[in-house]
């Protein structure tokens, strides 16, 4: 029943790769995970399932999976720490307030920024200016003193008074012939 079963590819103890091969009729794939050959002894039979098990759990496969997992955890940990550490660029970038219209900053290495223009002409001599001839000086701010008071109104809704006159009703115009 198991005659002609193939030997799958394998890696020997030295790390050399060997391609798979077919065994002749009435011979089996025999041997171990690291050395395979064809034989007629059914006690040494190495089934395809056992051969695949050797490939899946080889030390190199386990080392490769373990290193990939460690690398993944290191990358995720670095990114999370960088978002939480105040000395990291990503943390500082996330803390900057941004307006919806503000785009990304593009540094221009050949551009030297000039000083921004002053909003008003700067007077070289400090202090108040003397009044100009023909103009009368005006006060810039209201004079100091008590602020204007508003009349006090009663708090709450108006009280109903049945003897009060009705609200204002405009007079009806009188037309001739009416």
């Amino acid at each position: 029943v198991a005659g002609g079963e193939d030997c799958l590819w394998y890696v020997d103890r030295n790390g050399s790769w060997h391609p798979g091969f077919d065994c002749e009729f009435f011979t089996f794939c025999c041997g171990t995970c690291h050395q395979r050959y064809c034989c007629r002894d059914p006690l040494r039979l190495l089934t395809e399932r056992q051969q695949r098990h050797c490939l899946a759990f080889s030390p190199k496969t386990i080392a490769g999976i373990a290193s990939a997992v460690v690398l993944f955890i290191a990358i995720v940990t670095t990114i999370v720490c960088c978002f939480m550490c105040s000395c990291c660029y990503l943390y500082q970038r996330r803390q900057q307030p941004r307006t919806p219209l503000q785009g990304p900053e593009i540094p221009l290495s050949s551009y030297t920024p000039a000083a921004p223009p002053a909003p008003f002409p700067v007077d070289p001599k400090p202090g108040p200016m003397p009044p100009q001839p023909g103009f009368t000086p005006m006060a810039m701010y209201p004079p100091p003193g008590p602020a204007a008071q508003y009349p006090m109104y009663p708090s709450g809704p108006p009280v109903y008074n049945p003897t009060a006159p009705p609200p204002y009703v405009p007079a009806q115009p009188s037309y001739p012939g009416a």
Side-chain angles (χ1 to χ4, degrees), residues 3-174:
E5 190 163 333
D6 297 329
C7 286
L8 302 177
W9 66 270
Y10 66 97
V11 178
D12 63 14
R13 293 196 188 276
N14 297 329
S16 299
W17 180 80
H18 297 275
F21 55 92
D22 292 334
C23 293
E24 295 179 8
F25 194 67
F26 286 118
T27 59
F28 314 104
C29 185
C30 302
T32 64
C33 288
H34 303 290
Q35 182 183 9
R36 298 189 187 149
Y37 53 92
C38 295
C39 71
R40 291 192 173 144
D41 185 5
L43 297 176
R44 295 184 184 176
L45 171 68
L46 192 61
T47 65
E48 284 190 26
R49 182 176 181 189
Q50 290 170 330
Q51 294 177 53
R52 286 191 184 96
H53 181 76
C54 291
L55 297 176
F57 296 105
S58 70
K60 287 189 177 183
T61 305
I62 293 172
I65 292 172
S67 62
V69 168
V70 168
L71 181 64
F72 176 75
I73 291 172
I75 290 172
V76 169
T77 304
T78 302
I79 291 173
V80 168
C81 288
C82 204
F83 272 107
M84 299 180 135
C85 180
S86 63
C87 63
C88 187
Y89 172 76
L90 293 176
Y91 178 85
Q92 293 169 358
R93 185 80 173 170
R94 191 171 54 113
Q95 296 300 323
Q96 289 177 350
R98 293 185 84 80
T99 62
L101 300 178
Q102 183 180 12
E105 285 187 32
I106 301 173
L108 302 173
S109 60
S110 63
Y111 173 72
T112 55
F120 300 107
V122 179
D123 188 12
K125 26 186 198 337
M129 291 183 58
Q132 299 292 325
F135 291 100
T136 57
M138 293 182 62
M140 295 298 285
Y141 299 103
Q149 294 292 321
Y150 295 101
M152 295 296 289
Y153 291 101
S155 62
V159 179
Y160 175 71
N161 184 357
T163 60
Y168 171 74
V169 178
Q172 299 293 328
S174 61

